[in-house]
C-alpha cells in the first residue's frame, strides 16, 4: 500500500475561537432544587433527584453472540485459574488468584470483538452495586454558567489553549471552541448517622472533585463508585463525582470545560475555599485533572478568579496520548498490565459517532492535537505555581510517562508525592479495598490529603509554623513494603527531547491510521444501478 495514497482527508486546521453562546433550552438537563447558595447562606443543601418509573421494563434478551462471548470468557478464566494454580503465571511475583483473574478478564474485554461507541458508552454508564451500608450517593446536576460567568470561563479556556499551543510549539492544532453544558454526577458520602436524600455542605467540609477514567470516551461516575467510595471512607471527604461529556460526540475541550464548571460551582455556590478542594481522577480522569490545572495556570488574567486547588491525586494518569515512551511496548510490563500495547487502536465498530468523518486515531482529539497539553499534560512547558500532587503509578504501560511527568512537575517547584507500586496493573484499585495493595495506596492518598490540609491550618499562638511540604518518591512492593526508589527508572529526557519524540510518534500514528481506516472501515462500494 502506498503511504502517500490519501485515505482520509484531514480537516483544515483552525485556531480556537470562543463561542459565547450558551446551551439552548432544548439541551438543558433537569437540575436539582436548592443547589445554589447565596452569600448569606453558610451551608448548602443538595436534594436527591426523584427517580420516576411508571412501567416495569421488559427483561432484556441476551443475543447468541453475547452468550458465546460469555462462554469464551468463562473458558478463558477457567484456563487462567488452572495456569495460576500451577504457578505458570505471575504467582511467583506475588499475585493472588483475584489479581490474576481480574487482569485476565480485562484483557479479554480489550481484545474481544468491538461494539459501537454508543454501545460501549451505554454499558460503561451502568452503576455498580456497593456492598457498604455506610456509603450514600446523591444525584446532582450543575447548571451551565450564563452571562458574565459563561464569558469568563470560555475566555479562560480559549486563552489557555492558545498560550499552551504557542509555549509547547505546536503547529495549528485542530481544537474545537469550548462550549458549555449542564454537568450531571453524584455525591458520594460516607458514615452519616442520619441518612437522607439531601446533603448539607458546611464551611469546613473537604470536597474531592472526581473525574473517572475510560480513555475519554467511556466510563461514568456511577461506574466508578467503588473508587470514589474508597476516597470518602479512607480520607473522610465528600466526593463530587462528575459525568463529564464524552468523546467522540464531545471532543476536547468539552470535558475540561465541564470539570472547571464544577470547580467554579464548588468555590462560588458552595462557598468552599480552594484550600479545602482537591482534584482526583484515574487514568484519563487524572489527565483531565492536570489539563484543568494547566488551564487555571495559563488562562487567567490578574484576577485569578479560579485559584489552584489544595492538591491533586492522580492514579495511573494518562498524560501522554502519543504513548511514545519505552514502557508502552515493554515485554516485561506486558506480563503485569492489561492495557494493550502502544499501537492499539480502539476496537470500535462503525456508527454515527465513530469514526470521525475526517479520521483520527483517538476519539478525544484530532491527530494534530494529541500533543497539546489539553490532551497530553506531560507536554505542558511549565507547572510553576501549581499545587501539591500525589501520583500513583504501577507496573503498567503508562509507567514511564507517569514517572517522567512527576519529574517535570517536581522540577517546577511543586511538592510531589510519587508512589510506584511494583508488579501491579493499571489502576489496580479495581481489586477492591480489602486487597492489601489497594488499602496501602488509599492510606497513602489519605495521608497526602492530611499533609496538605495541615499546611493550610493556621498555627495556634505559640506553636511553630508548619514546615513546607517536601517531595518524596517511594517504591512499594506487592506485599505493601516500602523501599527506596531507584531514580534511574525515570526516563532521562528533557521536555524538548520528549516533545520531539511525541512529534515523531504522531507521524507514525498518521501512517498507521491510513492502514487502520482501510482495514477496519473500508469504503462502501456504491450500489450498481
Amino acid at each position: 500500500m502506498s503511504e502517500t495514497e490519501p485515505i482520509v482527508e484531514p480537516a483544515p486546521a483552525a485556531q480556537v475561537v470562543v463561542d459565547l453562546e450558551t446551551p439552548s433550552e432544548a439541551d438543558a438537563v433537569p437540575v436539582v432544587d436548592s443547589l445554589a447558595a447565596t452569600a448569606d447562606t453558610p451551608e448548602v443543601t443538595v436534594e436527591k433527584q426523584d427517580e420516576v418509573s411508571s412501567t416495569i421494563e421488559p427483561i432484556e434478551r441476551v443475543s447468541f453472540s453475547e452468550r458465546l462471548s460469555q462462554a469464551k470468557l468463562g473458558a478463558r478464566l477457567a484456563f487462567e485459574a488452572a495456569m495460576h494454580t500451577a504457578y505458570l503465571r505471575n504467582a511467583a511475583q506475588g499475585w493472588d488468584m483475584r489479581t490474576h483473574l481480574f487482569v485476565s478478564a480485562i484483557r479479554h474485554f480489550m481484545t474481544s470483538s468491538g461494539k459501537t461507541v454508543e454501545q460501549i458508552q451505554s454499558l460503561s454508564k451502568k452503576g455498580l452495586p456497593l456492598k457498604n451500608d455506610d456509603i450514600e450517593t446523591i444525584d446532582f446536576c450543575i447548571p451551565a454558567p450564563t452571562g458574565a460567568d459563561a464569558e469568563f470561563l470560555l475566555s479562560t479556556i480559549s486563552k489557555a489553549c492558545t498560550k499552551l499551543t504557542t509555549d509547547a510549539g505546536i503547529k495549528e492544532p485542530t481544537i474545537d471552541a469550548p462550549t458549555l453544558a449542564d454537568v450531571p454526577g453524584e455525591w458520594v458520602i460516607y458514615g452519616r448517622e442520619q441518612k437522607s436524600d439531601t446533603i448539607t455542605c458546611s464551611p469546613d467540609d473537604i470536597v474531592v472533585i472526581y473525574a473517572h477514567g475510560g480513555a475519554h470516551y467511556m466510563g461514568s461516575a456511577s461506574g466508578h463508585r467503588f473508587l470514589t467510595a474508597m476516597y470518602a471512607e479512607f480520607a473522610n471527604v465528600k466526593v463530587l463525582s462528575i459525568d463529564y461529556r464524552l468523546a467522540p460526540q464531545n471532543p476536547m475541550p468539552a470535558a475540561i470545560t465541564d470539570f472547571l464548571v464544577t470547580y467554579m460551582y464548588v468555590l462560588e455556590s458552595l462557598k468552599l475555599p480552594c484550600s479545602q478542594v482537591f482534584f482526583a481522577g484515574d487514568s484519563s480522569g487524572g489527565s483531565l485533572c492536570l489539563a484543568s490545572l494547566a488551564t487555571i495556570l495559563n488562562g487567567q488574567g490578574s484576577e485569578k478568579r479560579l485559584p489552584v486547588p489544595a492538591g491533586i491525586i492522580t492514579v495511573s494518569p494518562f498524560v501522554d496520548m502519543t504513548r511514545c515512551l519505552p514502557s508502552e511496548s515493554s515485554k516485561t510490563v506486558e506480563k503485569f498490565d492489561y492495557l494493550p500495547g502502544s499501537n492499539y487502536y480502539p476496537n470500535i465498530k462503525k456508527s454515527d459517532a465513530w469514526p470521525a468523518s475526517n479520521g483520527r486515531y483517538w476519539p478525544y482529539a484530532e491527530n494534530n492535537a494529541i500533543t497539546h497539553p489539553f490532551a497530553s499534560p506531560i507536554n505542558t512547558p511549565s507547572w510553576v505555581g501549581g499545587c501539591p500532587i500525589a501520583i500513583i503509578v504501577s507496573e503498567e504501560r503508562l509507567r514511564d510517562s507517569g514517572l517522567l511527568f512527576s519529574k517535570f512537575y517536581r522540577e517546577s517547584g511543586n511538592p510531589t508525592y510519587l508512589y510506584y507500586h511494583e508488579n501491579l496493573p493499571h489502576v489496580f484499585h479495581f481489586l477492591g479495598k480489602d486487597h492489601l495493595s489497594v488499602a496501602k495506596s488509599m492510606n497513602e492518598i489519605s495521608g497526602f490529603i492530611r499533609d496538605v490540609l495541615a499546611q493550610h491550618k493556621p498555627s495556634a499562638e505559640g506553636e511553630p509554623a508548619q514546615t513546607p511540604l517536601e517531595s518524596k518518591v517511594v517504591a512499594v512492593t506487592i506485599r505493601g513494603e516500602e523501599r527506596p526508589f531507584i531514580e534511574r527508572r525515570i526516563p532521562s529526557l528533557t521536555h524538548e527531547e520528549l516533545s520531539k519524540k511525541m512529534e515523531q510518534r504522531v507521524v507514525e500514528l498518521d501512517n498507521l491510521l491510513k492502514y487502520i481506516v482501510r482495514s477496519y472501515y473500508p469504503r462502501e462500494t456504491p450500489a450498481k444501478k
Side-chain angles (χ1 to χ4, degrees), residues 25 54 67 95 111 113 147 158 175 236 267 284 287 311 313 343 345 352 354 359 392 394 406 409 414 444-445 460-461:
E25 293 182 1
S54 58
R67 290 182 183 274
W95 277 24
T111 57
S113 58
S158 181
I175 300 175
N236 191 29
L267 294 177
S284 59
S287 173
I313 303 108
N343 284 342
Y345 180 78
D352 292 339
W354 185 259
I392 293 89
S394 48
S406 72
Y409 196 81
N414 304 303
E444 293 164 354
I445 290 171
E461 186 175 350

Side-chain angles (χ1 to χ4, degrees), residues 182-214:
D182 299 342
V183 184
E186 66 181 24
W187 286 94
V188 182
I189 314 297
Y190 173 79
R192 288 200 299 184
E193 293 183 2
Q194 298 295 328
K195 297 182 181 180
S196 70
D197 288 343
T198 62
I199 170 178
T200 300
C201 290
S202 58
D204 59 346
D205 278 335
I206 309 302
V207 169
V208 172
I209 302 175
Y210 196 88
H212 64 79

